[in-house]
Amino acid sequence: MTLICDCGSTKAEWVLLDGDNVAKRFVTTGFNPNFTDGETIKNIVGEAKDTVGNQSINKIRFYGSGCGTEANQNKVAMILAMVFKINDIEVYPDTLGACHALFGNNPGVACILGTGSNACVYDGKEITESVASLGFMIGDEGSGCHIGKRIVHDYFLGLMPEDLRKKFDEKYHLDREAFLKRVYQGEQPSRFLAEFAKFAAENIENEYIKIVVGDCFEAFINSNFTCDALGFVGSIAYVFQDILLQVLSNHHITCSKILKNPMDGLIEYYKN
């Protein structure tokens, strides 16, 4: 059996594939080897191993955020091998997972809009060009973290409309000093900031929210590949797809497909 994992910074989805049949499908906490220490990764992988139980796994195909470098691929592969005690393990960047899910063996430009963001050109076999990831502090345009930062920024600076500001205050009760400490000293600040994108989703019909999210998507388009057709994966692309499609239309760019997460596409890829 093959264990497939699509791992983001916030959550990881795992599927145990027995031939053409899904034997098990479950979710654990996600991680990014750029920001998550080895012991934490080992604990998360151990949770997955416990969920799988005594099922006979022959190989693991792992797609993860932060797995674009050989060092991080080796780090994650070593932990997977240690926990699952098998050798047939391949670790890929999450961008290649998006390519396989969106296009299979056909070429295309794959874009990820989740907690973070990324984009790459795929020739049907491998990634031929990628946008240099600058992380949540400098890059990740159009991501949940980017939207969350803009929402919180406008809240603290009084730029958010008063009616929304009251709703935000009632929901989060944010203290500025505690917030800044959590961002600059807490664990996984990108995930923390991305949580505030949920407020945007809950108030998606508000004109201010449409402008904020649209601005973030504009930044993504301006920072990435411009072409006739793009494919998107990720919760942010899926939830805000009406705004995303409008921004793309403004740039005369068509969208071939939007997937909430790549796993359904990855299942079909490995079935074939």
Side-chain angles (χ1 to χ4, degrees), residues 241-268:
Q241 61 182 282
D242 289 344
I243 301 173
L244 175 60
L245 290 171
Q246 183 59 58
V247 171
L248 292 172
S249 176
N250 293 343
H251 288 268
H252 308 290
I253 299 171
T254 57
C255 178
S256 60
K257 189 183 293 185
I258 297 177
L259 299 175
K260 186 174 184 180
N261 63 63
M263 187 53 80
D264 288 336
L266 288 174
I267 291 169
E268 292 306 311

Side-chain angles (χ1 to χ4, degrees), residues 151-170:
I151 293 288
V152 178
H153 171 275
D154 288 4
Y155 167 75
F156 278 120
L157 269 64
L159 302 175
M160 184 183 289
E162 191 57 34
D163 58 333
L164 268 187
R165 200 167 187 276
K166 283 178 89 172
K167 289 176 73 172
F168 188 92
D169 201 34
E170 290 169 1

Side-chain angles (χ1 to χ4, degrees), residues 51-121:
T51 304
V52 169
N54 295 321
Q55 301 278 6
S56 178
I57 299 172
N58 302 316
K59 53 189 175 183
I60 298 175
R61 300 295 179 259
F62 183 97
Y63 299 86
S65 58
C67 292
T69 65
E70 185 176 353
N72 281 347
Q73 289 170 6
N74 291 338
K75 176 181 178 180
V76 173
M78 187 169 62
I79 293 172
L80 288 167
M82 185 189 312
V83 173
F84 283 94
K85 313 242 183 286
I86 64 171
N87 295 319
D88 191 353
I89 296 170
E90 294 178 10
V91 176
Y92 304 111
D94 55 354
T95 45
L96 189 59
C99 294
H100 287 167
L102 287 166
F103 308 116
N105 294 316
N106 299 310
V109 174
C111 305
I112 298 174
L113 289 178
T115 300
S117 68
N118 213 327
C120 63
V121 178

